[in-house]
Amino acid sequence: MVRALLLVVVCVSSVCLAGLAISADSISEKARKLHFSSMVVDTHDDTTQRFLDGKFDLGTRSATGSIDIPRMREGNLSAIFFSIWMPSKVTGPEAVDRALVQIDAVREQVRKHSNDMVLATTAAEVREARKQGRIAALMGVEGGHMINANLGVLRSYASLGVRYMTLTHTMASRTLGRMWCVR
């Protein structure tokens, strides 16, 4: 009796597991179809530092890292925000100069790969890039320390295509948090 009951439980479990596998496959297929029919936006990419190397080419599949145009295409990436970043201990004119170098490096990669990418600054431009079969490149500055307390610098970044700036970054956030706790 116990053996028969155990056999029934195993059979029922097998049928249920097979049903789940079929269901999971259909869910995976639905998810895949949804993904490839949607606009996919990477809102934070740290590859910008690699552009400064001079040897890194976004157009070639890279053995290191995870972002390059072949992978963007395979993953159906519609748009990507390249992060302009440096440690928050770098401040003043040096931070501005280094940020400008990174902005220029992003713009140069877009220029170099203009068949695949286009600089975008609006949602409409992102949609148009997708219609053209190109990936929209956008930029954001990570940390207000890179404007040297000068809104004119922020306006300059905007004119070069930067579309967001976070107020703080890791070190600044920790410092502000400690200051807040002390008061």
Side-chain angles (χ1 to χ4, degrees):
M1 175 75 170
V2 171
R3 184 174 283 178
L5 184 59
L6 185 57
L7 184 58
V8 169
V9 168
V10 168
C11 288
V12 169
S13 296
S14 297
V15 169
C16 288
L17 287 175
L20 285 175
I22 292 168
S23 180
D25 287 344
S26 72
I27 290 172
S28 293
E29 183 56 28
K30 286 179 184 177
R32 189 180 110 30
K33 285 179 182 177
L34 177 63
H35 174 83
F36 283 95
S37 67
S38 300
M39 291 188 70
V40 178
V41 180
D42 181 339
T43 60
H44 182 102
D45 180 73
D46 288 325
T47 305
T48 308
Q49 294 287 330
R50 298 186 75 191
F51 297 162
L52 303 179
D53 178 356
K55 296 176 188 166
F56 181 78
D57 180 12
L58 196 58
T60 306
R61 182 177 297 278
S62 176
T64 60
S66 58
I67 294 292
D68 51 51
I69 291 172
R71 287 188 183 116
M72 290 181 204
R73 294 265 183 222
E74 290 166 8
N76 189 44
L77 192 64
S78 302
I80 184 168
F81 275 90
F82 289 103
S83 298
I84 309 303
W85 175 87
M86 71 198 60
S88 55
K89 65 184 177 189
V90 178
T91 59
E94 181 183 1
V96 173
D97 291 344
R98 286 172 63 175
L100 289 169
V101 167
Q102 287 183 44
I103 291 166
D104 187 56
V106 170
R107 293 174 65 91
E108 177 60 20
Q109 285 290 324
V110 170
R111 186 201 59 73
K112 186 176 179 181
H113 301 290
S114 60
N115 290 335
D116 292 299
M117 300 187 82
V118 62
L119 187 66
T121 58
T122 67
E125 290 173 350
V126 171
R127 287 189 293 274
E128 182 59 30
R130 181 177 164 108
K131 286 179 189 173
Q132 295 173 5
R134 296 195 289 172
I135 301 160
L138 301 106
M139 291 180 281
V141 170
E142 290 188 358
H145 64 286
M146 286 184 269
I147 66 167
N148 192 25
N150 183 337
L151 292 178
V153 172
L154 183 60
R155 284 188 287 277
S156 294
Y157 291 167
S159 71
L160 293 170
V162 171
R163 284 302 174 258
Y164 77 82
M165 178 185 75
T166 62
L167 296 178
T168 63
H169 199 264
T170 307
M171 183 178 268
S173 298
R174 288 183 194 147
T175 303
L176 288 172
R178 280 195 294 265
M179 287 170 43
W180 179 257
C181 291
V182 171
R183 291 182 177 204

